[in-house]
Amino acid sequence: DGGITQSPKYLFRKEGQNVTLSCEQNLNHDAMYWYRQDPGQGLRLIYYSQIVNDFQKGDIAEGYSVSREKKESFPLTVTSAQKNPTAFYLCASSIERGYTFGSGTRLTVV
Amino acid sequence: AQSVTQLDSQVPVFEEAPVELRCNYSSSVSVYLFWYVQYPNQGLQLLLKYLSGSTLVKGINGFEAEFNKSQTSFHLRKPSVHISDTAEYFCAVSARGAQKLVFGQGTRLTINP
């Protein structure tokens, strides 16, 4: 079955460390997205990519970085510059107006 | 730019009662509209979407929504809720000509027996 795989499901990081969240899709979708979810704030867009080797900042890109070297993969790196990284991170992909979401990664800074 | 306001952060209802979750949006261009449901620690599942045509949209699990362009609203309704409808619901919009989704803050629906 086609879908989006996010790994790991739970991730713990020490303050000051970078960490990379994985997102892989086998849907042949061109566009991919990263959202951050905090209680009471909905989902906020971090980065998105409409095509391989191209990506754009979303509303809250500071402290994050991405790459899009392959159509199937859109990893997100949470850097030490992100002041409050503890959150639930969702990856999505889309073609036309059909969006598919992964099951998320919960990142906790300890 | 687009924005979405979900007017209620929490909605408690009794089982088998009707429910309406309210969503208003703001946009200077035409939009597509979506409702998603999220169960704890999971991703988002599409309930329904409005792309064009009839303003009354029917979705999964007995939900429906009506697009009202003059009031810039897209309220979600269900005539009779079940315990299994307990979840968080998100309204989202994307502008025509753009792909990214902009989400509201979410409404937590709690069903009491």
Side-chain angles (χ1 to χ4, degrees):
Chain A
D1 285 342
I4 293 185
T5 301
Q6 288 188 244
S7 61
K9 190 170 179 65
Y10 298 95
L11 188 57
F12 295 88
R13 189 198 92 175
K14 291 184 179 179
E15 279 195 41
Q17 289 182 338
N18 293 354
V19 63
T20 298
L21 283 59
S22 171
C23 177
E24 303 279 333
Q25 56 104 353
N26 60 2
L27 299 164
N28 202 32
H29 288 176
D30 286 320
M32 297 188 73
Y33 314 81
W34 274 105
Y35 287 90
R36 170 179 172 143
Q37 185 177 9
D38 296 283
Q41 297 193 49
L43 281 75
R44 293 179 291 167
L45 184 64
I46 305 172
Y47 269 98
Y48 64 104
S49 168
Q50 297 183 352
I51 197 168
V52 173
N53 293 323
D54 187 46
F55 48 83
Q56 290 81 40
K57 292 182 179 180
D59 300 316
I60 56 165
E62 184 175 353
Y64 300 97
S65 66
V66 294
S67 63
R68 187 86 187 275
E69 298 176 1
K70 298 186 301 180
K71 188 175 187 177
E72 301 79 17
S73 180
F74 192 41
L76 173 74
T77 297
V78 184
T79 75
S80 56
Q82 169 50 234
K83 300 293 184 228
N84 184 20
T86 294
F88 189 56
Y89 292 87
L90 280 166
C91 179
S93 69
S94 73
I95 185 165
E96 296 182 353
R97 296 299 161 178
Y99 299 84
T100 301
F101 285 81
S103 56
T105 292
R106 185 165 297 280
L107 173 64
T108 303
V109 174
V110 297
Chain B
Q2 291 72 47
S3 67
V4 178
T5 302
Q6 291 184 241
L7 297 158
D8 305 293
S9 59
Q10 296 186 64
V11 174
V13 295
F14 288 106
E15 195 172 15
E16 298 184 5
V19 69
E20 178 180 81
L21 305 183
R22 298 180 292 168
C23 172
N24 285 92
Y25 70 92
S26 173
S27 177
S28 56
V29 299
S30 296
V31 297
Y32 303 107
L33 295 153
F34 305 78
W35 273 100
Y36 288 90
V37 61
Q38 184 183 38
Y39 301 101
N41 291 313
Q42 293 187 27
L44 274 64
Q45 180 183 3
L46 179 69
L47 284 175
L48 49 80
K49 60 185 175 183
Y50 171 78
L51 302 182
S52 65
S54 172
T55 56
L56 182 62
V57 182
K58 294 190 183 296
I60 63 170
N61 301 341
F63 285 94
E64 65 179 34
E66 185 154 21
F67 170 52
N68 188 318
K69 188 175 182 180
S70 62
Q71 297 187 8
T72 60
S73 67
F74 191 54
H75 300 333
L76 181 71
R77 301 185 183 98
K78 186 171 182 177
S80 175
V81 296
H82 189 266
I83 289 284
S84 60
D85 292 321
T86 297
E88 189 146 23
Y89 292 79
F90 291 96
C91 181
V93 63
S94 70
R96 300 198 180 210
Q99 289 183 297
K100 60 180 181 177
L101 284 172
V102 176
F103 286 86
Q105 301 90 329
T107 297
R108 185 170 300 278
L109 177 62
T110 305
I111 313 298
N112 299 306

